[in-house]
Amino acid sequence: MKVVLDWDGTVTEVDSLHLVLLEFGDKSIYDEAENRLGPDLTLHEVIAFEFASVRTRLEEVVAWVRENVRVRAGFVEFARVHRPLIVSSGFHELIEPVLEREGVELEVVANRLDASPKGWRALFRSDEPCAVCGEPCKRADVAGLDEFAYVGDGFSDRCVALAATRVFARDGLADYLARRGVAFEPFTDFRDLAARM
Ligand SMILES: [Mg+2]
Ligand SMILES: [Zn+2]
């Protein structure tokens, strides 16, 4: 069965978008945006709002990301065996350098960045609202798959996880699925996942 992985907080130990915003963006904008996610702002609106506060050169941020963003234990071995698809609400520009550092080549579905010195602009891969959740959503990224195992941790994984054959969840996604009474399996890292695939 195809394995589909979220990137931030799932492959990475800590959400790298949050880390970048805390290091290079405006902390107060970040706090405000996160509080308004869901009731008030869509995920795309939150991401656009947050990253507009980053004005650093992309090369500098990429170097920092390569230095500071860690992947969970066992990821490289897992990637070589299972060839997972990565679907992210983040950016190719911040994901691919980490994969390269780890010596792993995988298919990645993500957004793009226009790293303007006046404030970064998110270039989203789709603005098409999902028929189920009403927002652009990762369901569209897996539309070609009949069966898949989904591994995730957060807000952007909620809708797509409901479409998966098997769900591995932690943190906010696990809380969300538990509240809705949806079956999932908790996970800690990729050694743990590999043993259960
Ligand atoms: Mg995540
Ligand atoms: Zn959806």
Side-chain angles (χ1 to χ4, degrees):
M1 184 162 34
K2 187 74 182 170
V3 180
V4 182
L5 304 178
D6 167 54
W7 177 256
D8 281 295
T10 297
V11 173
T12 69
E13 289 183 343
V14 181
D15 190 316
S16 70
L17 297 181
H18 293 196
L19 290 176
V20 164
L21 288 165
L22 294 179
E23 184 72 18
F24 301 100
D26 183 325
K27 171 88 167 79
S28 62
I29 285 180
Y30 173 76
D31 290 340
E32 182 191 340
E34 292 296 311
N35 287 332
R36 292 172 65 190
L37 174 60
D40 191 14
L41 294 177
T42 67
L43 183 64
H44 279 193
E45 287 167 340
V46 163
I47 292 170
F49 182 52
E50 288 175 340
F51 279 89
S53 73
V54 180
R55 294 180 177 83
T56 314
R57 282 191 320 122
L58 182 61
E59 301 73 46
E60 189 182 325
V61 176
V62 166
W64 188 90
V65 163
R66 283 182 70 113
E67 191 70 29
N68 290 283
V69 173
R70 294 163 49 92
V71 299
R72 287 191 195 281
F75 170 67
V76 172
E77 297 77 4
F78 184 93
R80 293 203 174 118
V81 173
H82 294 280
R83 309 299 308 157
L85 167 68
I86 291 175
V87 296
S88 172
S89 304
F91 305 104
H92 284 279
E93 289 83 351
L94 304 180
I95 294 171
E96 266 138 25
V98 177
L99 287 175
E100 188 187 274
R101 181 195 70 201
E102 299 295 328
V104 174
E105 270 184 56
L106 292 175
E107 189 186 346
V108 177
V109 179
N111 301 315
R112 295 266 172 208
L113 271 172
D114 169 12
S116 163
K118 296 191 198 110
W120 286 14
R121 239 164 34 91
L123 308 172
F124 295 107
R125 59 188 177 276
S126 169
D127 290 321
E128 196 67 42
C130 164
V132 179
C133 66
E135 288 189 28
C137 150
K138 291 179 176 179
R139 254 183 213 258
D141 305 328
V142 298
L145 300 175
D146 289 335
E147 285 205 319
F148 61 97
Y150 192 82
V151 188
D153 76 309
F155 189 89
S156 71
D157 306 313
R158 290 179 176 189
C159 187
V160 67
L162 301 177
T165 316
R166 206 172 163 191
V167 184
F168 296 90
R170 53 177 295 133
D171 303 327
L173 179 64
D175 296 342
Y176 170 80
L177 295 172
R179 275 201 308 277
R180 295 195 40 150
V182 176
F184 68 93
E185 300 168 62
F187 75 96
T188 50
D189 61 29
F190 287 91
R191 290 191 189 125
D192 168 32
L193 283 167
R196 290 189 287 147
M197 282 292 166

